[in-house]
Amino acid sequence: MSENKDTFNIAGREFSSRLLVGTGKYKDMDETRAAIDASGAEIITIAVRRTNMGQNSDEPNILDVLPPDRYTILPNTAGCYDQKTAVRTCRLARELLDGHNLVKLEVLGDEKTLFPDVMATLKAAEELIRDGFDIMVYTNDDPIIARELEDMGCAAVMPLAAPIGSGLGIRNPLNIRTIVENARVPVLVDAGVGTASDAAVAMELGCDGVLMNTAIAAAQKPVLMASAMNKAIQAGREAYLAGRMQAKRFASASSPLEGLFF
């Protein structure tokens, strides 16, 4: 790795870890905390509609386990299927977090695929940006839509690798690479990662980071998988910066043929 610090910037905030993680599907708060510690993540995304962030005083508050003075909390709109609900959820998160404006926007199209409703996402993003939010936006792997979201002012574009929670890995690497090559804001793969090699591939494509939840939480040993993902993100990033060798159809001897001793 270069001696220069390899960081990236989202909405004026600088981060060292390129692994972003969620908090859902763990067996309890202790496992949540241990896995996130092992991941080395600095940005933690929390589903506002599914997790207590202070809305209910009778239930454990996730912020007691993941304090905002240690982590950058990224409220998300998981479970929202229309513009109005997504916008309202972001505004609730801002109230709960004392004016925090960095949010992850996702507006889903249907419950079976959990693919984004692109038109509703565009409208919600436009409304939230006018309202002063910094938007990290979940979208499909369409380079044209990614460019539109960037042009309207989204702070980061987050194309899916595969359906949410599927663990299928990156299904369309060429589209992801095209989005990365044309982006002027951070691009982070969001959804579909299943194991460490998937995360490494995303980073080798030039993505600025990867967001995941199920790949860690649904592993047989979540804390160990979190550690593996941490290493995979770093390895993939270094491989991208190093520049891989050119792929060739036929063999190429590792040692030169000239100057043989016999």
Side-chain angles (χ1 to χ4, degrees), residues 245-254:
M245 63 168 284
Q246 180 180 357
K248 301 175 182 179
R249 183 178 176 187
F250 298 109
S252 176
S254 299

Side-chain angles (χ1 to χ4, degrees), residues 126-262:
E126 186 175 38
E127 182 176 354
L128 288 166
I129 290 167
R130 285 199 308 265
D131 199 17
F133 283 92
D134 296 318
I135 305 298
M136 299 175 66
V137 58
Y138 165 69
T139 184
N140 58 20
D141 59 6
D142 182 343
I144 306 304
I145 295 300
R147 185 177 63 195
E148 182 70 21
L149 289 164
E150 177 183 332
D151 288 346
M152 72 167 51
C154 290
V157 175
M158 307 178 75
L160 55 81
I164 292 173
S166 68
L168 291 173
I170 297 177
R171 297 292 86 196
N172 199 339
L174 295 179
N175 274 23
I176 298 294
R177 175 170 288 170
T178 299
I179 292 171
V180 168
E181 290 174 345
N182 291 286
R184 301 182 305 276
V185 298
V187 175
L188 301 96
V189 157
D190 178 15
V193 168
T195 190
S197 56
D198 300 329
V201 167
M203 299 307 297
E204 288 170 8
L205 290 171
C207 291
D208 294 280
V210 180
L211 187 151
M212 65 183 74
N213 183 186
T214 306
I216 296 175
Q220 294 180 31
K221 297 180 179 180
V223 177
L224 187 58
M225 182 61 81
S227 176
M229 291 297 189
N230 187 355
K231 298 179 179 72
I233 292 288
Q234 295 180 51
R237 176 64 179 172
E238 290 188 14
Y240 171 72
L241 293 175
R244 65 157 291 154
M245 63 168 284
Q246 180 180 357
K248 301 175 182 179
R249 183 178 176 187
F250 298 109
S252 176
S254 299
S255 302
L257 298 178
E258 298 82 8
L260 298 178
F261 288 107
F262 56 90

Side-chain angles (χ1 to χ4, degrees), residues 54-161:
Q55 308 97 307
N56 188 341
S57 59
D58 297 328
E59 295 183 5
N61 187 335
I62 190 71
L63 300 182
D64 292 336
V65 176
L66 305 170
D69 61 350
R70 178 177 176 185
Y71 299 102
T72 295
I73 303 300
L74 181 64
N76 71 61
T77 60
C80 294
Y81 290 85
D82 59 77
Q83 174 187 349
K84 182 178 179 180
T85 305
V87 169
R88 185 172 66 246
T89 300
C90 288
R91 288 173 176 159
L92 171 61
R94 181 161 63 183
E95 290 181 14
L96 293 169
L97 294 172
D98 298 323
H100 181 85
N101 284 325
L102 183 65
V103 296
K104 178 196 165 189
L105 172 65
E106 54 182 82
V107 185
L108 304 176
D110 65 76
E111 294 184 2
K112 182 177 181 179
T113 67
L114 300 182
F115 284 149
D117 180 332
V118 173
M119 296 307 295
T121 298
L122 289 165
K123 292 176 182 177
E126 186 175 38
E127 182 176 354
L128 288 166
I129 290 167
R130 285 199 308 265
D131 199 17
F133 283 92
D134 296 318
I135 305 298
M136 299 175 66
V137 58
Y138 165 69
T139 184
N140 58 20
D141 59 6
D142 182 343
I144 306 304
I145 295 300
R147 185 177 63 195
E148 182 70 21
L149 289 164
E150 177 183 332
D151 288 346
M152 72 167 51
C154 290
V157 175
M158 307 178 75
L160 55 81

